[in-house]
Amino acid sequence: MKLALGNARQWHWISAAICIVGMLFFSWTGITLNHAADIPANSDITTIEASIPEVMLQAWQTTAKNEDTLPNNIRQYLSSEHQLDISARLVGELNDGEFYLAMPNPGVDAWLSIDIESGELIYEKTNRGWISFFNDLHKGRYTNTAWVWFIDIFAVCSIVFCLSGLWLLYKQSTFRLSTWPIVALGVLLPLVIILTSLH
């Protein structure tokens, strides 16, 4: 029993050490997500309307039927003239001569539209602030593969933390008679709330 209890304690404190900061982050952003409608958000909107020189469009017009990414010369032009750094890996859509590219990030909505015949360019970026940024991180929305892996690993560590804690409760429950009533309350309370919320 001492060995099993010692192992449970070891798993519990190691998993706690690994995921404690993540737990604080996801708990806090869980509250902000739950009250998203009550938290005022000031969106910062950037809009660019311009025309791409015709000479830069000619090569694109001849190959556009099979293009789903911005040509290098267009990306370089947007970077130098409008400070828009667009990754070559981003894939857009070409419909009826209009190229559309969505460029969302956590807390940010952005898109680019180019008429490849006239060269008309419209770009819009909406920055929804830090709260939206952290909320999107909580959901794994518009994040990269590394963050998705972090969320999965954090979730596994949290499961280990909870199960090892439950095992410790079981082992020490004979010394604390209130253990199982409190655990039962933690199980029943959300179930009652869910069942009474169903329509």
Side-chain angles (χ1 to χ4, degrees), residues 38-57:
D38 303 321
I39 300 174
N42 297 319
S43 297
D44 182 15
I45 301 176
T46 301
T47 303
I48 297 174
E49 295 185 13
S51 295
I52 297 176
E54 184 178 352
V55 66
M56 305 188 72
L57 294 170

Side-chain angles (χ1 to χ4, degrees), residues 16-33:
I18 291 173
C19 63
I20 187 168
V21 174
M23 281 187 174
L24 290 171
F25 169 77
F26 282 101
S27 297
W28 173 66
T29 51
I31 294 172
T32 58
L33 275 169

Side-chain angles (χ1 to χ4, degrees), residues 28-158:
W28 173 66
T29 51
I31 294 172
T32 58
L33 275 169
N34 199 38
H35 297 277
D38 303 321
I39 300 174
N42 297 319
S43 297
D44 182 15
I45 301 176
T46 301
T47 303
I48 297 174
E49 295 185 13
S51 295
I52 297 176
E54 184 178 352
V55 66
M56 305 188 72
L57 294 170
Q58 291 175 354
W60 195 12
Q61 290 168 352
T62 58
T63 60
K65 290 182 179 179
N66 299 317
E67 287 285 342
D68 56 6
T69 59
L70 280 175
N72 289 335
N73 65 331
I74 302 293
R75 287 191 302 104
Q76 292 170 1
Y77 169 80
L78 294 176
S79 177
S80 61
E81 295 295 323
H82 301 290
Q83 291 71 55
L84 299 180
D85 293 320
I86 300 173
S87 171
R89 293 174 295 180
L90 290 177
V91 176
E93 298 177 3
L94 182 62
N95 290 311
D96 297 326
E98 181 182 8
F99 180 80
Y100 178 83
L101 180 65
M103 298 176 290
N105 277 305
V108 176
D109 293 319
W111 57 271
L112 174 75
S113 174
I114 300 175
D115 187 317
I116 67 171
E117 296 297 329
S118 65
E120 180 183 354
L121 159 73
I122 300 175
Y123 169 82
E124 184 173 287
K125 176 182 177 181
T126 303
N127 190 327
R128 295 179 279 110
W130 285 105
I131 297 296
S132 293
F133 173 78
F134 289 125
N135 285 350
D136 282 348
L137 288 182
H138 180 107
K139 296 182 288 185
R141 187 171 181 248
Y142 305 140
T143 56
N144 58 20
T145 304
W147 184 257
V148 173
W149 272 103
F150 166 76
I151 291 177
D152 288 344
I153 293 170
F154 164 76
V156 171
C157 290
S158 297

